[in-house]
Amino acid sequence: MSTGSLIVVDLLVAVLAAAGWLGAGAAAAAGRRPVALGVGALALLATLARGVTTVALAHAGWWFAEEKILIAAPLAVVALAVVAVRPGPVALLFAGYCQTAALLVTVLHGYPASTGVGLLAVAGVAAATAVTWRFLGPRPHRRVSRATLAVAVAALVGGTGLAVSPGAPASHHHSFAAEPALGAPTKRFTLTAAMTTVRVDEREVKAWGFNGQVPGPQITATVGDILEVTLRNRDIKKGVTLHWHGYDVPNSQDGVPDVTQAAVLPGQEFVYKFRADQAGTYWYHTHSVSDLGVRMGLYGALVVHPAPITGVDVTLPVHTLSGHPLPAATTETVAAGSPVRLRLINTDNTTHRYALAGTAFGVAAIDGSDLRGPTPLQGTAVLIPAGGRYDLTFTAPATPVGLQVDGRAVWSTGEVSAATAGWPALDPLTYGAPAPPPWSHYDRDFTLVLDRGLDLHGLLPRYAHTVDGAAYPDIPTEIVHLGDTVKFTIVNRSMVVHPWHLHGHRVLVLSRNGKAATGSPLWLDSFDVRPGDVWEVTFKADNPGVWVNHCHNLAHADAGMMLHLMYA
């Protein structure tokens, strides 16, 4: 069973245990002793089962079991002891309160376990037990114990104080650097962001676009070009920027509002300038109110060729605009024997499944980095995470070839009939020819534990996507020095996928779930951390500045799953 499945099973048995003890207590209070015994037995089994799942999760990693061992387990032991010594309605309900408190700790707080959260759990159990004793305790001793009330109040005050105390604030970089001195540009582009209407599936759809279109104009360059891109904002009230996704531009050109520049407001403009020295498939998008802006259409492709194009070169940025999938299906005539490169870009918040039918193909590059020794594939799908890119290459056969995305035809050379839903998905960690890692020691080692929890540090509580128990802007900044080799361990305790994206750097995958990468060196800037996954990646700190490190399901980033990496 995978760790992700264990997380789900653990939550289910925790719910059963809490409901079982509460149900047994209610039945006992109603005088239905046989029902209470039966339901109590099921609750006992569920409690013991949670002990088993806790041990299994601890075996997968301390991150998955910490609060269960430090808070839930002691509460369960006390509950079982009370039920064994003084069985009755109050004891059974007390056990239910303990299990409920433990469940809420996992659901509302998660990792890491803290003294404040433990005290709040104790306060809740004590207060609920005191009220229960007042109504169900043996006569004439139903007066609420002052000691119990004192414990509840003290735990509540202490726990609340610790839980809402400010965390370590993120370091913000408001001193924006000047653009690099590169000389005269060889290619100039102007992108004007504005509200517009585009035609999709024979319907008019309201959108935000660059130059009145969705996606925006493709920016194409050849290695050595100096690009100058002028961004103008006509009427996007929330402001816009340009982030060059996956492209390691200087920090001043990264396009993150309040970190590397101010947002470009209506009537304003900003000029980006950088050298095209990194061949591959990339894309650009607004990073101002990024979830809404990208969903509304403020994105486009960036392609840098190592040399003049030969053969057929097709760029396909996949997007969902107001429920309508883009691009529309196209058919292109390609002469047999022609070399073809399909540049696949996932601009959505979730993973897409791509299947190329009618020919063998190779995965030449992922996230702009060429793979070493790609081998031919056929009858195999590729899963591209949010923000990710795959380049598929093949020699056009005389018969039709077709690309499907999630079962929908997107591009073809003719009519193709193929059932691709059952095709296995490629594991990029095992594909291609391996090579020795460029380094084997790490100057900095960070662990990011991804979860969901209640964030109490703002004016109003919110249920946030968290990193190490905190939400932006209260996640501590990661500090590195120029030249450091850095290792990240990224752990997903939650039940949703988090496509991880570090700005300004590509990371080399070391392992996933304890299994070392065995294929071509895999340099990524976007990768799916699925429920229960533990990824180990590394990179060289060679691009100074303040960089955003976040989930590229942009709704998750907006809900707190974002932090900064800063060069000292």
Side-chain angles (χ1 to χ4, degrees), residues 434-490:
W439 53 81
S440 58
H441 78 282
Y442 309 102
D443 303 304
R444 296 285 182 273
D445 195 337
F446 299 105
T447 297
L448 303 178
V449 180
L450 315 181
D451 205 349
R452 290 214 71 177
L454 195 62
D455 176 27
L456 301 175
H457 292 141
L459 293 176
L460 295 174
R462 60 170 177 163
Y463 197 52
H465 290 278
T466 61
V467 179
D468 295 336
Y472 183 83
D474 295 305
I475 305 171
T477 295
E478 299 158 329
I479 305 297
V480 299
H481 297 84
L482 185 63
D484 281 350
T485 53
V486 185
K487 179 183 177 183
F488 276 139
T489 301
I490 304 177

Side-chain angles (χ1 to χ4, degrees), residues 216-366:
Q218 178 168 315
I219 295 177
T220 303
T222 303
V223 169
D225 281 337
I226 297 175
L227 301 182
E228 182 181 276
V229 182
T230 301
L231 171 65
R232 293 172 179 161
N233 183 356
R234 181 180 300 162
D235 56 10
I236 306 299
K237 294 181 180 179
K238 296 179 180 294
V240 294
T241 62
L242 289 178
H243 168 59
W244 311 97
H245 186 108
Y247 211 81
D248 300 339
V249 296
N251 191 239
S252 63
Q253 308 301 295
D254 194 45
V256 179
D258 301 321
V259 179
T260 66
Q261 69 172 92
V264 179
L265 299 177
Q268 296 179 346
E269 69 175 42
F270 187 93
V271 179
Y272 299 86
K273 191 175 181 181
F274 57 92
R275 186 184 300 278
D277 54 7
Q278 190 174 315
T281 306
Y282 307 93
W283 62 298
Y284 63 86
H285 61 82
T286 182
H287 221 286
S288 180
V289 198
S290 55
D291 178 38
L292 177 61
V294 176
R295 281 191 288 111
M296 290 295 291
L298 291 175
Y299 72 96
L302 167 66
V303 176
V304 179
H305 298 283
I309 300 173
T310 58
V312 178
D313 198 288
V314 181
T315 304
L316 296 167
V318 170
H319 190 74
T320 305
L321 181 65
S322 298
H324 300 277
L326 298 175
T330 59
T331 301
E332 184 173 349
T333 300
V334 177
S338 299
V340 181
R341 179 180 287 256
L342 300 181
R343 301 177 183 271
L344 312 180
I345 306 174
N346 182 1
T347 71
D348 277 331
N349 280 338
T350 56
T351 306
H352 285 306
R353 185 178 189 274
Y354 299 72
L356 183 63
T359 185
F361 65 93
V363 180
I366 298 179

Side-chain angles (χ1 to χ4, degrees), residues 355-380:
L356 183 63
T359 185
F361 65 93
V363 180
I366 298 179
D367 285 359
S369 295
D370 289 344
L371 298 188
R372 187 173 184 266
T375 54
L377 299 168
Q378 198 159 10
T380 302

Side-chain angles (χ1 to χ4, degrees), residues 3 6-7 53-69 111 449 489 491 493 532-534:
T3 304
L6 274 174
I7 292 172
T53 58
T54 297
V55 170
L57 287 170
H59 181 73
W62 176 249
W63 318 283
F64 300 110
E66 185 188 49
E67 88 289 355
K68 301 171 182 62
I69 293 172
Y111 179 92
V449 180
T489 301
V491 181
R493 275 179 45 109
D533 271 1
V534 179

Side-chain angles (χ1 to χ4, degrees), residues 491-523:
V491 181
N492 188 356
R493 275 179 45 109
S494 75
M495 292 189 291
V496 295
V497 178
H498 294 298
W500 204 253
H501 175 56
L502 170 63
H503 286 212
H505 307 78
R506 287 172 291 177
V507 300
L508 174 65
V509 177
L510 300 174
S511 69
R512 182 187 59 214
N513 301 331
K515 295 181 179 179
T518 59
S520 168
L522 195 57
W523 292 91

Side-chain angles (χ1 to χ4, degrees), residues 182-205:
L182 295 175
T186 58
K187 284 198 172 182
R188 288 185 171 92
F189 301 87
T190 298
L191 299 176
T192 300
M195 292 186 288
T196 187
T197 301
V198 296
R199 194 165 184 81
V200 183
D201 296 335
E202 304 301 323
R203 303 171 75 176
E204 297 293 328
V205 177

